Amino acid sequence: MTPGSVAIVGAAESTEMGKVPHLSQLSLHADAALNALDDCGLTLADVDGLATAGQDAADVVQHLGLHPTWVDGTSVGGCSFMVHVRHAVAALEAGLCTTALITHGESGRSQVGRLMRAIFPSANQMNFEAPYGVTLPPSRFTLPVLRMMKETGLTLEQLATVAVVQREWAAFHPRASFRDPITVDDVLSSKMIADPFRLLMCCLVTDAGGALVLTKADRARDFPTRPVYVRGAGESAETAMVSQMEDFTSSRAFRVSGKLAFESAGITHADVDHLMIYDAFAHLPIYGLEDLGFVGRGEGGPFIAEGHTRPGGRLPLNTNGGGLSYQHSGMYGMFALQESVRQMRGVSPAQVPGAKISVAHGVGGMFHAAGTVVLTNEAQL
Amino acid sequence: MADRALPTITPETTHFWDGAKAGELRLQRCTPHGHVYFPPRFFCPRCGSRDIAVIKASGRAKLHSYIINHMKAPGFTPPFVVAVVELEEGVKMMANILGVEPSHDALELDMPLEVTFEALSDEISLPQWRPAQGAGE
Ligand SMILES: [Zn+2]
């Protein structure tokens, strides 16, 4: 990809988030899509490309009345939307469409019109993991952590600090689900879920939608919004079975995706002003910091505990409060991207002053895939 | 309470479940390089060779990582241990560690384990793991 060849010109979340029992899942897609188009002054008739996940792409096409010439139904979990951004850049560069819409909607909490996205998307999971009593993500995503703690010295207090620091960021956001301050003790005395994981180390479950509109950079100045250019991106996948990760202390998909993103963007870690790391659970920002190369092995926990990712710290991380405090519909990647776009537009309620480069990194499934996007507000072409 | 999840036997996994029923843990190994792999498939995922053989595993493993699950699961009474074990042959498998209390005091990473089988139906005996007898002596 050519850095900055494509820009995000429209971005919006659903009108309501959290508990939205009066909208079905498909309506959350539509509400967010219409909001994102309003954001950039376009209409559904302008859209000729559509990508979505967790919902059949043709279902969304028909519901919105689109006539696309590019359709992408890549569904590799909650990072699918980062992957869609990368695919949309390729499609727009290749002329497969001119205006690409990426939608997400999920009735994760109210379960209204929710498609039964399989708890176990793989037959191997059904045969070789499910019989051992694993069900919801807290019983699987968490499995590598004790090994991580033994190998790298990561502590429970450091894990708890992830949730504490992100709550500090959430306090800035009127749309965050939880905004009251919490302490390490609060986290470590909350309800036990999957020992060593307690409730406040696990993500929320909410109803929410989000959408992005992308087009070639040469059109991007025609819109009312400040263009946010896609400077680089990466993607990878490793395994649908968490038990089969090659290394419990590091995600191969994270490493491959992150390296591609940084290389394609032509940036170093020192260039990054703002960072989002999909935090379905408190350990993911630690894996992300290490696997993306912001810190060395074993340094992720101490880095957060020392306050570097807090408000005022040198690497603002998950400035919306993340999946732990902001929103988490089930596929959170869209909301990490939304906050990166807000930061690059300079309109986040937790704005990082002067931020020019934002990285949004997503995970899919239980460490099964990854997508990384580098955004900038500076024109590259 | 809903029934415990049961594996479905497919042509690619028949050897595995037949072995488990007979009290034997079976893995697959490619002939060209001796790569041992899991879960079962008709080729080696490391080299792509279809020239593979079924082997009997030693039944020895170490506790690689685990959680103590406090959430409900069909057929289980919380809290219970969900673990990943690393076999002597180098592959990992999900497991419940049987014969120990679900507590961090009773479970230590890298503790030696030995295979045992939990009969779930006439067809399915599930490979499980328990502390190796005489471990630490
Ligand atoms: Zn081989």
Side-chain angles (χ1 to χ4, degrees):
Chain A
M1 64 182 283
T2 305
S5 67
V6 163
I8 297 171
V9 295
E13 295 167 344
S14 51
T15 309
E16 293 172 70
M17 307 172 90
K19 193 173 181 183
V20 193
H22 54 280
L23 286 186
S24 71
Q25 178 161 304
L26 194 51
S27 293
L28 288 167
H29 280 263
D31 180 49
L34 292 170
N35 286 345
L37 289 166
D38 281 348
D39 185 49
C40 57
L42 292 179
T43 69
L44 289 166
D46 297 308
V47 175
D48 58 0
L50 184 280
T52 197
Q55 190 98 16
D56 191 277
D59 194 17
V60 176
V61 163
Q62 184 263 326
H63 196 63
L64 295 178
L66 304 177
H67 299 85
T69 57
W70 173 72
V71 180
D72 182 1
T74 302
S75 211
V76 288
C79 66
S80 297
F81 311 102
M82 282 79 172
V83 174
H84 293 156
V85 168
R86 188 169 190 247
H87 294 184
V89 169
L92 289 159
E93 282 187 344
L96 305 185
C97 63
T98 60
T99 306
L101 173 67
I102 303 173
T103 71
H104 165 66
E106 196 159 5
S107 184
R109 177 167 174 177
S110 300
Q111 304 277 319
V112 180
R114 192 181 193 194
L115 284 177
M116 283 303 108
R117 195 153 55 80
I119 287 182
F120 300 104
S122 115
N124 275 328
Q125 285 178 315
M126 294 290 290
N127 293 329
F128 299 108
E129 294 192 338
Y132 296 99
V134 296
T135 53
L136 297 171
S139 62
R140 291 185 278 157
F141 224 147
T142 52
L143 271 168
V145 163
L146 283 185
R147 174 55 53 177
M148 176 75 143
M149 292 170 76
K150 171 158 180 167
E151 300 281 330
T152 73
L154 173 68
T155 67
L156 266 184
E157 287 72 21
Q158 289 164 357
L159 280 168
T161 304
V162 173
V164 170
V165 170
Q166 293 192 188
R167 186 62 67 86
E168 292 180 9
W169 284 114
F172 291 93
H173 279 263
R175 306 194 88 202
S177 295
F178 293 120
R179 285 172 290 175
D180 293 338
I182 51 172
T183 65
V184 167
D185 281 348
D186 291 335
V187 178
L188 294 182
S189 59
S190 62
K191 184 183 177 193
M192 189 64 89
I193 303 293
D195 192 348
F197 278 79
R198 293 175 180 271
L199 184 65
L200 291 178
M201 297 153 78
C202 304
C203 67
L204 307 159
V205 182
T206 64
D207 306 323
L212 299 170
V213 181
L214 293 88
T215 195
K216 291 278 287 291
D218 53 16
R219 274 180 78 199
R221 290 185 194 285
D222 300 340
F223 297 97
T225 48
R226 183 179 184 181
V228 176
Y229 301 92
V230 184
R231 181 157 168 172
E235 69 189 270
S236 192
E238 182 178 352
T239 171
M241 303 171 74
V242 68
S243 62
Q244 302 306 311
M245 276 178 89
E246 69 181 12
D247 182 350
F248 273 25
T249 71
S250 169
S251 160
R252 192 179 78 203
F254 281 22
R255 298 195 309 270
V256 172
S257 178
K259 186 165 185 283
L260 281 169
F262 278 77
E263 285 176 358
S264 58
I267 60 164
T268 68
H269 296 85
D271 297 321
V272 177
D273 303 307
H274 171 253
L275 177 62
M276 299 297 290
I277 299 176
Y278 189 136
D279 58 323
F281 293 91
H283 57 314
L284 292 167
I286 293 164
Y287 280 78
L289 285 168
E290 296 183 11
D291 287 337
L292 296 180
F294 284 95
V295 299
R297 178 179 163 84
E299 294 173 2
F303 187 78
I304 291 174
E306 286 159 13
H308 300 302
T309 65
R310 291 176 63 179
R314 62 184 159 107
L315 184 59
L317 170 67
N318 291 347
T319 54
N320 60 356
L324 299 181
S325 286
Y326 184 68
Q327 301 287 338
H328 198 304
S329 51
M331 302 178 91
Y332 166 80
M334 175 57 79
F335 305 102
L337 286 164
Q338 294 287 337
E339 176 65 4
S340 283
V341 170
R342 287 192 290 265
Q343 288 284 351
M344 291 300 93
R345 287 177 170 181
V347 300
S348 171
Q351 186 61 41
V352 176
K356 293 185 174 68
I357 292 183
S358 174
V359 172
H361 175 75
V363 65
M366 317 293 132
F367 278 116
H368 90 207
T372 317
V373 175
V374 181
L375 299 177
T376 180
N377 47 28
E378 295 185 313
Q380 302 294 300
L381 300 176
Chain B
M1 183 185 290
D3 288 337
R4 184 162 167 181
L6 279 181
T8 302
I9 301 173
T10 65
E12 296 87 347
T13 60
T14 302
H15 69 276
F16 184 84
W17 298 113
D18 282 353
K21 198 172 161 182
E24 196 171 281
L25 185 59
R26 293 179 185 164
L27 298 172
Q28 290 171 314
R29 181 175 64 199
C30 78
T31 306
H33 305 97
H35 299 138
V36 178
Y37 63 88
F38 177 83
R41 69 206 86 174
F42 69 82
F43 62 96
C44 170
R46 282 180 66 190
C47 68
S49 175
R50 297 173 187 238
D51 184 2
I52 55 164
V54 173
I55 60 166
K56 181 184 174 185
S58 71
R60 289 188 289 273
K62 287 181 179 176
L63 180 57
H64 194 63
S65 201
Y66 69 93
I67 55 144
I68 300 169
N69 194 6
H70 288 249
M71 298 182 298
K72 285 186 287 191
F76 285 81
T77 306
F80 63 96
V81 178
V82 178
V84 174
V85 301
E86 182 164 13
L87 278 61
E88 199 170 60
E89 290 79 7
V91 302
K92 296 193 197 89
M93 283 184 186
M94 202 167 269
N96 307 117
I97 308 301
L98 305 183
V100 294
E101 289 297 310
S103 83
H104 295 303
D105 290 338
L107 295 158
E108 190 178 351
L109 294 201
D110 298 316
M111 67 190 278
L113 304 166
E114 64 186 20
V115 74
T116 180
F117 294 90
E118 184 180 12
L120 298 184
S121 72
D122 289 345
E123 306 257 276
I124 298 293
S125 286
L126 198 63
Q128 287 285 20
W129 300 83
R130 64 186 178 200
Q133 300 303 308
E137 287 176 9

